[in-house]
Amino acid sequence: MNALHSLRQGDVVAQATAALLLLMSVASWVVIVWKALLLRRASADVARCTAAFWQAPSIGVASQNLQSFDREALVLPLVVATNSVAFLQASAGAGTTLAQAGSASQQLTRVLRDALHTVLGRLQWGQVLLATVGSTAPFVGLLGTVWGIYHALAAIAGAGQISIDRVAGPVGEALIMTAAGLAVAIPAVLAYNVFGRLIGRIEADLEGFALDLRELLLGAAPAARPD
């Protein structure tokens, strides 16, 4: 209560620092809860969707099955992206765009890479915020502490009576800002590291599936006839 009362009596810098730490904490916890749910569903979806894909009798049937399994739309975009290759190959005779140029292998590589980047971008969302909060929150709290100690010592010196009792209270209240900064930063850093490992595991699974899908489609394509 003393710290809260001191904060209310503080100047604009102290109040702005406390408001910034509160905003950073709320934002990081929203991202933490959202990404925890997302990655939990994503891990299950990728395993279930890849198994359903390879058990399907055809790519068309697999695409229909994935619409009910792929809740986070991680595997289905890779399969759907390959449909554009057939269209590009069919219209390659016109030669109107660079996207229609190249072999089926090159076009598959391009569309799968673009689809994979889109999917991974959704998984990576929020990581930058967690890293920013984890790296800057301690310094924001330290700024509030230094500013509070400066004003506390200035007020004590102006009163003309300096003692341990008069110094300990204001300085201790100012140090709470450092503790607040650490309390904001630690969950963000831990979540960033845990989510980074989960995202890396999902990314490896998706890249492996994209490679297997590319090899499957190239193996199923008819051999090119010599001119």
Side-chain angles (χ1 to χ4, degrees):
M1 294 297 295
N2 291 335
L4 182 60
H5 176 73
S6 177
L7 179 61
R8 291 177 178 176
Q9 298 298 323
D11 58 3
V12 176
V13 175
Q15 294 179 357
T17 303
L20 180 58
L21 285 176
L22 179 61
L23 179 62
M24 295 170 72
S25 178
V26 171
S28 62
W29 275 108
V30 169
V31 172
I32 288 172
V33 173
W34 178 79
K35 285 190 70 71
L37 296 175
L38 171 67
L39 294 178
R40 180 181 178 181
R41 289 164 60 98
S43 298
D45 286 356
V46 171
R48 182 166 53 246
C49 289
T50 52
F53 178 85
W54 295 116
Q55 292 174 1
S58 65
I59 295 181
V61 175
S63 299
Q64 295 177 356
N65 294 338
L66 292 182
Q67 293 178 3
S68 59
F69 291 150
D70 199 2
R71 298 170 297 179
E72 298 298 336
L74 300 176
V75 178
L76 183 60
L78 301 179
V79 179
V80 173
T82 60
N83 295 333
S84 63
V85 176
F87 170 77
L88 292 174
Q89 286 290 313
S91 59
T96 57
T97 64
L98 291 177
Q100 298 170 352
S103 63
S105 174
Q106 294 171 331
Q107 293 181 15
L108 274 173
T109 300
R110 182 168 62 250
V111 298
L112 285 173
R113 182 182 62 243
D114 294 341
L116 190 60
H117 286 172
T118 301
V119 170
L120 294 181
R122 187 160 61 252
L123 291 176
Q124 291 286 349
W125 189 90
Q127 289 293 97
V128 174
L129 186 143
L130 293 178
T132 302
V133 171
S135 60
T136 59
F139 297 101
V140 174
L142 183 61
L143 173 63
T145 296
V146 172
W147 191 261
I149 290 176
Y150 167 74
H151 280 277
L153 294 179
I156 293 172
Q161 297 180 358
I162 301 177
S163 64
I164 297 297
D165 295 337
R166 295 181 63 87
V167 172
V171 171
E173 293 175 358
L175 289 174
I176 294 178
M177 294 295 291
T178 299
L182 293 175
V184 173
I186 291 175
V189 172
L190 293 177
Y192 176 83
N193 292 332
V194 172
F195 292 160
R197 294 190 61 181
L198 293 176
I199 292 173
R201 190 178 307 166
I202 297 173
E203 180 179 355
D205 293 339
L206 290 174
E207 288 179 349
F209 175 77
L211 179 60
D212 293 340
L213 179 60
R214 176 181 178 275
E215 296 298 326
L216 172 67
L217 294 175
L218 290 179
R225 296 180 180 179
D227 296 335

